[in-house]
């Protein structure tokens, strides 16, 4: 159970409160800067835990269970913090119309988790599609750029990259969420 991949996954979960703390204080650019670094480290460990588990042949039930939970906790915490606290500017990083794609992403994460749990009880596996991997990529880039925008509020292009990626992630979220729902509906009476 305490393999390196599982320890990396657990480190991602334990990093969430630290990241929340770094993003907590309004206008604290240094916190957002350190938050961006921590977010990047967490992203690297997300890749490494899966790679190492497969390469070392140490894929475990604990890892399969914890990995998506770690991802969802991180995404939800970052989105909530970016909506609720001011970055380096005078308003939250995610505000106005940009709250819509953030909520779409949050709602999909919750719905797909519930659907996967339901399907697992029926022994139905839903593989991750290439499109879902693209969704995750856009989502990770968007949240990273939005955190960085809190550290560099004068660099409008960083915020723009985050916003465009957020909308792209939300569009792919709707498409992939519908794919999961279609599979799930086939197994519901």
């Amino acid at each position: 159970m305490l393999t390196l991949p599982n320890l990396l996954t657990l480190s991602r979960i334990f990093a969430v409160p630290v990241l929340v703390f770094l993003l907590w204080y309004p206008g604290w650019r240094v916190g957002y800067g350190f938050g961006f670094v921590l977010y990047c480290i967490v992203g690297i460990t997300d890749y490494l835990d899966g790679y190492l588990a497969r390469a070392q042949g140490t894929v475990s039930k604990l890892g399969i269970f914890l990995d998506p939970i770690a991802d969802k906790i991180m995404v939800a915490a970052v989105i909530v913090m970016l909506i609720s606290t001011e970055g380096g500017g005078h308003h939250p990083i995610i505000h106005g119309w940009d709250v819509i794609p953030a909520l779409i992403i949050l709602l999909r994460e919750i719905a797909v988790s519930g659907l996967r749990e339901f399907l697992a009880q029926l022994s139905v596996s839903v593989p991750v599609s290439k499109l879902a991997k693209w969704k995750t990529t856009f989502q990770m880039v968007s949240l990273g750029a939005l955190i960085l925008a809190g550290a560099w509020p004068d660099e409008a292009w960083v915020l723009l990259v985050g916003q465009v990626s957020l909308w792209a992630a939300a569009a792919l979220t709707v498409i992939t969420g519908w794919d999961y729902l279609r599979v799930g509906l086939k197994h519901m009476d």
Side-chain angles (χ1 to χ4, degrees), residues 94-157:
I94 298 176
H95 67 283
W97 288 100
D98 293 329
V99 171
I100 293 170
L103 290 177
I104 288 170
I105 290 169
L106 276 177
L107 293 173
R108 186 255 191 204
E109 295 294 342
I110 294 166
V112 168
S113 292
L115 184 59
R116 281 185 177 275
E117 184 177 329
F118 169 76
L119 292 175
Q121 292 173 0
L122 301 175
S123 298
V124 175
S125 174
V126 183
V128 177
S129 67
K130 284 195 182 262
L131 201 55
K133 290 182 181 187
W134 276 103
K135 184 266 317 172
T136 300
T137 300
F138 276 109
Q139 186 173 284
M140 299 304 279
V141 167
S142 72
L143 296 180
L146 291 169
I147 292 170
L148 188 58
W152 288 350
D154 301 328
E155 300 293 330
W157 67 271

Side-chain angles (χ1 to χ4, degrees), residues 5-102:
N6 286 348
L7 290 174
L8 289 171
T9 300
L10 287 169
S11 74
R12 288 175 23 227
I13 293 171
F14 292 130
V16 171
V18 176
L19 184 57
V20 166
F21 173 78
L22 292 170
L23 303 179
W24 190 272
Y25 297 100
W28 190 36
R29 291 183 185 191
V30 173
Y32 274 79
F34 283 123
F36 175 73
V37 171
L38 180 59
Y39 181 81
C40 290
I41 291 169
V42 167
I44 291 167
T45 62
D46 184 19
Y47 170 76
L48 279 178
D49 64 10
Y51 173 79
L52 290 173
R54 288 184 297 275
Q56 297 174 348
T58 57
V59 175
S60 68
K61 290 180 182 179
L62 179 65
I64 291 169
F65 169 72
L66 285 180
D67 186 66
I69 290 173
D71 294 343
K72 288 169 184 15
I73 290 171
M74 178 63 70
V75 167
V78 169
I79 287 175
V80 166
M81 293 310 295
L82 293 176
I83 288 174
S84 65
T85 62
E86 292 179 12
H90 300 292
H91 49 73
I93 302 293
I94 298 176
H95 67 283
W97 288 100
D98 293 329
V99 171
I100 293 170

